[in-house]
């Protein structure tokens, strides 16, 4: 009798609140995502200011993954070197460091690349296509390194084609080959695949 009275009371309360009591779990599906990760429309031509640039895919962070955003990347005004690879790498680094646009932020895009990072001239004996940074790649935050590796490896202005990108620091340590794969794009907080040390080219 006591059990029947408790059940009747619970039924009355839940009915008054408009909630149907149930004894089985209900699958309501996955929680709705708060970010869309919709990439903005691909730009065309030059920057609005008329500054020349080149088309590139810049890897930004969205939904804990790397998502490529097409941009027209302006050529740096202060050119660090005449080497076209260093110049292109500097332009891409500046694009990664730049705060995403309002449209990109609304879609959930962010960047982890710290301000002030730059491309520095290569050293004698470095293989063709080497990019040396003002900080050691190993010392960068994993997400920032993932963004840089994936952006540079996909750039025709820096890399000869899809594949590893050769990165080094400002010191005399030999550069290394870094790879960007699906695992890096899906989990940029993990360090990109580190290849073998690239030995200097004999003079």
């Amino acid at each position: 009798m006591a059990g029947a009275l408790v059940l009747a009371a619970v039924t009355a309360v839940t009915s008054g609140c408009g909630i149907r009591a149930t004894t089985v779990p209900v699958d309501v599906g996955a929680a709705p995502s708060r970010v869309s990760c919709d990439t903005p429309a691909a730009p065309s031509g030059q920057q609005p200011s008329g500054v020349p640039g080149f088309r590139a895919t810049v890897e930004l962070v969205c939904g804990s993954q790397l998502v490529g955003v097409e941009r027209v990347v302006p050529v740096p005004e202060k050119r660090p070197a005449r080497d076209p690879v260093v110049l292109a790498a500097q332009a891409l680094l500046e694009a990664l460091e730049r705060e995403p646009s309002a449209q990109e932020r609304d879609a959930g895009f962010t960047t982890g690349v710290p301000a002030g990072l730059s491309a520095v001239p290569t050293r004698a004996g470095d293989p063709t296509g080497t990019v040396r940074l003002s900080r050691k790649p190993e010392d960068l935050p994993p997400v920032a390194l993932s963004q840089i590796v994936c952006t540079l490896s996909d750039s025709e202005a820096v890399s000869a084609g899809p594949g590893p990108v050769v990165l080094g620091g400002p010191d005399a340590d030999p550069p290394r080959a870094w790879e960007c794969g699906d695992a890096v794009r899906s989990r940029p907080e993990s360090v990109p695949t580190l290849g073998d040390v690239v030995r200097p080219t004999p003079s």
Side-chain angles (χ1 to χ4, degrees):
M1 180 64 71
L5 291 175
V6 172
L7 178 60
V10 171
T11 302
V13 171
T14 55
S15 298
C17 296
I19 302 173
R20 294 185 58 188
T22 178
T23 58
V24 295
V26 177
D27 184 6
V28 295
S33 175
R34 296 185 179 181
V35 295
S36 65
C37 295
D38 291 334
T39 56
S44 59
Q46 295 183 339
Q47 297 293 312
S49 61
V51 177
F54 59 94
R55 296 178 66 88
T57 300
V58 177
E59 299 289 341
L60 299 179
V61 182
C62 189
S64 301
Q65 297 182 345
L66 293 187
V67 180
V69 177
E70 288 192 33
R71 288 181 177 174
V72 174
V73 179
V75 177
E77 295 182 2
K78 297 181 179 180
R79 304 187 178 188
R82 295 182 179 180
D83 186 343
V85 173
V86 178
L87 182 63
Q90 178 64 31
L92 292 171
L93 287 174
E94 292 180 4
L96 287 170
E97 296 171 5
R98 192 174 301 118
E99 181 78 12
S101 66
Q103 184 180 4
E104 292 168 345
R105 292 197 303 271
D106 290 342
F109 289 95
T110 61
T111 182
V113 178
L117 185 65
S118 61
V120 298
T122 55
R123 290 178 169 269
D126 282 349
T128 302
T130 296
V131 175
R132 284 192 175 271
L133 306 175
S134 56
R135 291 176 57 182
K136 287 186 177 182
E138 298 88 343
D139 294 340
L140 292 172
V143 172
L145 182 57
S146 296
Q147 287 184 256
I148 294 170
V149 169
C150 291
T151 298
L152 296 184
S153 63
D154 286 345
S155 172
E156 295 181 356
V158 175
S159 177
V165 59
V166 181
L167 293 180
D171 51 21
D173 290 345
R176 290 178 176 268
W178 300 81
E179 295 183 357
C180 173
D182 293 339
V184 176
R185 295 181 186 277
S186 61
R187 298 190 62 185
E189 72 278 2
S190 60
V191 178
T193 303
L194 177 61
D196 296 333
V197 173
V198 181
R199 298 298 177 185
T201 303
S203 57

